[in-house]
Amino acid sequence: WRLSNEISKNAFAQQRTVFPRLFPKKASGGFQMKSARAFVISFDALLALFIVFSFLVASFALLSRAEEKGFGELSLRAFSFDVLNVLEHSGKLQDAVVFEDSSSLDSFLNFLPFYYCARLEVFEQGAVQPLIVAARADCRNVPANSFLARSFFLANREGVLVFYTAELKAWLSG
């Protein structure tokens, strides 16, 4: 016990030289530990807090720039081409040309989201006047800043393959 006590006194003396404020000398020559509570923050904890704070600031900055409608010009462009692709791959464009009937196109356009307006015109190859015109019921007037998307397709009309152009003019209502 005496040996371990001597070793601990030596270790304590070494700590006194490294941390003089924590281990002040006693008046009688011994060492006394200072009774102060310390809170040590390590570097990795500070780094983690900084990273979390940075992510929060960045996400709030991006959220504050978001549009109110959430449907910008790029989304309108992508949505317009998607509408043309769906109409073409479902066969509605070909059927409308073959039967010269726009009712299926009108009903499709009427089921689009309420904030999306569209007018579809189908032209035969080389024609200036549209063969078929379809539009959403509550969106008849096309504004000057509408987006124009085109799609080209073939249709078998009376045994002859004919090229057609579908033009979709799209805009946001309201």
Side-chain angles (χ1 to χ4, degrees):
W1 186 81
R2 229 174 235 231
L3 181 61
S4 66
N5 196 12
E6 290 295 321
I7 293 173
S8 65
K9 281 183 183 179
N10 288 337
F12 196 66
Q14 287 174 352
Q15 289 177 351
R16 164 71 175 99
T17 59
V18 177
F19 304 108
R21 287 194 176 177
L22 289 177
F23 305 104
K25 279 192 171 187
K26 271 188 187 180
S28 63
F31 294 106
Q32 177 183 358
M33 201 162 167
K34 195 173 186 181
S35 63
R37 293 184 181 186
F39 184 73
V40 178
I41 299 177
S42 64
F43 178 72
D44 58 345
L46 286 175
L47 184 64
L49 285 174
F50 177 73
I51 290 173
V52 168
F53 183 71
S54 298
F55 277 119
L56 286 174
V57 167
S59 62
F60 283 126
L62 290 175
L63 286 175
S64 67
R65 284 192 228 160
E67 293 181 15
E68 204 170 285
K69 286 187 177 182
F71 199 78
E73 291 181 21
L74 290 175
S75 298
L76 178 66
R77 179 182 185 271
F79 194 73
S80 301
F81 283 114
D82 287 345
V83 166
L84 283 175
N85 282 334
V86 167
L87 287 173
E88 184 178 352
H89 292 319
S90 67
K92 288 186 186 276
L93 283 176
Q94 291 85 352
D95 290 344
V97 168
V98 169
F99 300 115
E100 293 186 18
D101 182 26
S102 67
S103 61
S104 64
L105 298 176
D106 284 325
S107 66
F108 180 85
L109 293 176
N110 284 329
F111 280 107
L112 293 177
F114 69 92
Y115 50 83
Y116 184 81
C117 288
R119 177 183 169 98
L120 179 69
E121 297 176 346
V122 180
F123 296 89
E124 193 172 341
Q125 181 182 5
V128 177
Q129 294 296 322
L131 178 67
I132 294 175
V133 177
R136 188 177 170 130
D138 54 347
C139 302
R140 294 289 177 187
N141 298 329
V142 181
N145 63 347
S146 62
F147 178 77
L148 177 65
R150 284 193 181 107
S151 178
F152 304 96
F153 64 97
L154 281 171
N156 189 354
R157 193 162 182 198
E158 299 171 4
V160 178
L161 287 176
V162 181
F163 280 101
Y164 292 93
T165 303
E167 288 185 352
L168 181 76
K169 294 175 184 163
W171 65 98
L172 299 175
S173 67

